[in-house]
Amino acid sequence: MRILIIGGGGREHALAWKLAQSPKVQILAAPGNPGIARVGTCLPADRAQNLEADLTVVGPEAPLVDGIVDSFRARGLAIVGPNREAAQLEGSKIFAKNFLTQRQIPTAEFVTVENAGEARRALDRFGLPVVLKADGLAAGKGVVIAQDRDEFEAALATLKGRLVIEEFLRGEEVSFIALCDGRDVVPLAPTQDHKAVFDGDAGPNTGGMGAYCDSAILSEAQTHAILDRIIYPTVEATAFTGFLYAGLMMTTDGPKVLEFNVRLGDPETQPLMHRMASDFVPALQAAAHGELRGVKLEWRPAPSVCVVLASGGYPGAFPTGKPITGIEAAEATGATVFQAGTRSGPEGLETSGGRVLGVTARGENLAAAIDGAYRALREIHFDGMHYRRDIGRKGLERYNGKTVGT
Ligand code: AMP
Ligand code: GLY
């Protein structure tokens, strides 16, 4: 069968790598990237609309918000993703917050503001720190956590249009992703992202500098609470199809929604695909055909870790076209290197984006998985490359060094 993957980042490479391991599958990607070209055929982005693949899986949010699922379904094609209306859960923060409140799904207290005066009144209500969110899609740059009044005013000056101002929540952040068919739900294993650019969660937010996947991130009771209070009510209310990604804060009052995404996470997908033991293709087909009931996904006990290697300057301005070396040597250590911001240049592989590679490894416990990823990435070089050195450390603190995952 022919599976079309829409997108061309690290998430899509991980998905392509996993689906290509399924028997009798041919991978097509639009536009894909040089990593995906190792396991499938890459086509120009505008070819996607004219292909009649047996199944299409959409990576990024923009085509979902634009209604790609509606148009593929209108042509009778099987596709994994939400329709345009449900994609508003990610496309508009105001829509998502109003939805959460109406359905009494736990989330931070908030107000919607139209101007600076209203925003300052909201600050008086919530106090500092406070969170400001631009309404529309902003590629990870639409959220500011203001620690003091100056940062608050600076954020007001840069964020455009209507804003959500909300209470600052404390706790541990978890990415909880579920595959949905409009009624039934198959949760993926829990993951944790690392959004800030520098070690210790310092510096501005990025799209994600690394993630790990480990069943120990959530207890069974926490997983049940998330499904009962957040995922099922959302799927029921929206007849949600595709990947529902709840960005959660695990607070002392239970899980609360920070944001919804309507797709797989990037980089969460990299450790997820690395750890998934089941063939993913039957589950995706079931999701596209409304037949998820009874489907289960199996996970390897070994945790997995993905460390993102970013271009110098990212998440600010960065140069491109820097030659990349050492991927083969890194993979010879047993890791898998997923490509995100890469392209083929005159002298071989070179950088083309902010997040360039995702070095991903498993280990018998989280510490071993972390070691595996960092040992592998020592082999890789490109000019200006930087990465966080503490991916997964919060997870290690959770077990105080005990072996887990068996
Ligand atoms: P979002 O795009 O809404 O997930 O926001 C990006 C990041 O900002 C999240 O991953 C959190 O780290 C942080 N964040 C967002 N909302 C809040 C909040 N209400 N309290 C604390 N941190 C938040
Ligand atoms: N890693 C966060 C996201 O995919 O939005």
Side-chain angles (χ1 to χ4, degrees):
M1 73 183 284
R2 298 202 307 168
I3 303 183
L4 170 63
I5 296 173
I6 307 283
R11 164 184 49 210
E12 290 79 18
H13 184 189
L15 201 53
W17 171 85
K18 175 69 182 166
L19 302 186
Q21 293 168 34
S22 186
K24 299 197 186 120
V25 163
Q26 185 196 349
I27 301 291
L28 305 171
N33 69 33
I36 298 174
R38 286 162 44 183
V39 295
T41 306
C42 298
L43 304 158
D46 55 12
R47 285 279 309 281
Q49 287 291 345
N50 311 317
L51 276 170
E52 306 248 320
D54 301 298
L55 180 68
T56 298
V57 187
V58 187
E61 60 276 17
L64 295 167
V65 171
D66 287 345
I68 190 172
V69 168
D70 311 64
S71 70
F72 272 51
R73 286 197 185 135
R75 290 163 55 214
L77 297 172
I79 184 163
V80 179
N83 62 20
R84 180 192 230 140
E85 200 188 333
Q88 285 301 304
L89 287 175
E90 176 165 359
S92 164
K93 299 268 188 209
I94 295 175
F95 177 92
K97 293 296 291 192
N98 287 336
F99 170 84
L100 289 163
T101 318
Q102 274 159 19
R103 301 280 162 176
Q104 295 178 303
I105 298 171
T107 189
E109 295 285 321
F110 78 103
V111 290
T112 303
V113 303
E114 307 269 350
N115 57 49
E118 287 178 19
R120 292 186 191 109
R121 277 197 294 284
L123 174 60
D124 292 340
R125 170 172 162 194
F126 295 124
L128 289 162
V130 75
V131 185
L132 303 92
K133 302 186 174 184
D135 183 38
L137 290 181
K141 297 200 172 131
V143 176
V144 176
I145 297 168
Q147 299 292 343
D148 57 38
R149 191 117 206 162
D150 288 346
E151 286 180 12
F152 181 79
E153 290 297 331
L156 282 186
T158 49
L159 296 174
K160 300 279 172 267
R162 289 202 296 167
L163 303 180
V164 169
I165 311 266
E166 70 178 30
E167 152 200 30
F168 178 78
L169 296 177
R170 286 165 212 281
E172 223 183 304
E173 251 184 276
V174 175
S175 302
F176 192 93
I177 306 175
L179 179 61
C180 312
D181 72 353
R183 186 187 55 197
D184 290 302
V185 160
V186 179
L188 307 189
T191 48
Q192 269 187 323
D193 190 8
H194 298 65
K195 289 225 167 99
V197 65
F198 300 128
D199 289 7
D201 293 332
N205 267 353
T206 68
M209 292 297 288
Y212 69 99
C213 177
D214 183 350
S215 300
I217 292 171
L218 293 175
S219 68
E220 242 173 77
Q222 286 174 314
T223 302
H224 276 127
I226 293 165
L227 287 168
D228 289 350
R229 294 182 212 162
I230 295 167
I231 302 295
Y232 276 112
T234 303
V235 172
E236 199 177 312
T238 58
F240 193 92
T241 55
F243 293 102
L244 179 62
Y245 167 143
L248 302 173
M249 192 68 91
M250 303 304 293
T251 74
T252 48
D253 296 332
K256 294 192 180 181
V257 177
L258 293 174
E259 65 164 342
F260 279 129
N261 295 316
V262 297
R263 50 171 174 80
L264 284 164
D266 190 347
E268 288 92 331
T269 304
Q270 291 81 321
L272 278 166
M273 293 304 115
H274 219 255
R275 236 197 105 207
M276 187 186 288
S278 307
D279 183 347
F280 202 18
V281 173
L284 292 172
Q285 275 182 300
H289 292 103
E291 295 164 358
L292 266 185
R293 180 153 298 171
V295 172
K296 280 212 166 56
L297 291 169
E298 303 293 335
W299 302 86
R300 295 188 175 90
S304 53
V305 175
C306 169
V307 180
V308 169
L309 307 183
S311 290
Y314 175 81
F318 52 84
T320 59
K322 303 291 182 193
I324 302 167
T325 58
I327 289 182
E328 257 178 48
E331 293 199 321
T333 70
T336 306
V337 179
F338 294 120
Q339 299 191 24
T342 65
R343 67 183 175 215
S344 302
E347 277 144 53
L349 198 67
E350 59 181 44
T351 64
S352 68
R355 293 188 292 171
V356 178
L357 301 171
V359 181
T360 310
R362 282 196 306 275
E364 60 169 343
N365 56 36
L366 185 60
I370 292 170
D371 277 354
Y374 281 101
R375 213 176 329 113
L377 71 79
R378 284 206 298 262
E379 305 292 334
I380 297 177
H381 178 81
F382 53 86
D383 199 25
M385 166 175 123
H386 71 96
Y387 56 90
R388 277 182 64 157
R389 283 153 218 272
D390 62 350
I391 303 301
R393 191 172 293 166
K394 253 190 237 158
L396 286 183
E397 288 162 11
R398 187 179 301 113
Y399 336 107
N400 302 320
K402 271 190 256 152
T403 304
V404 292
T406 44

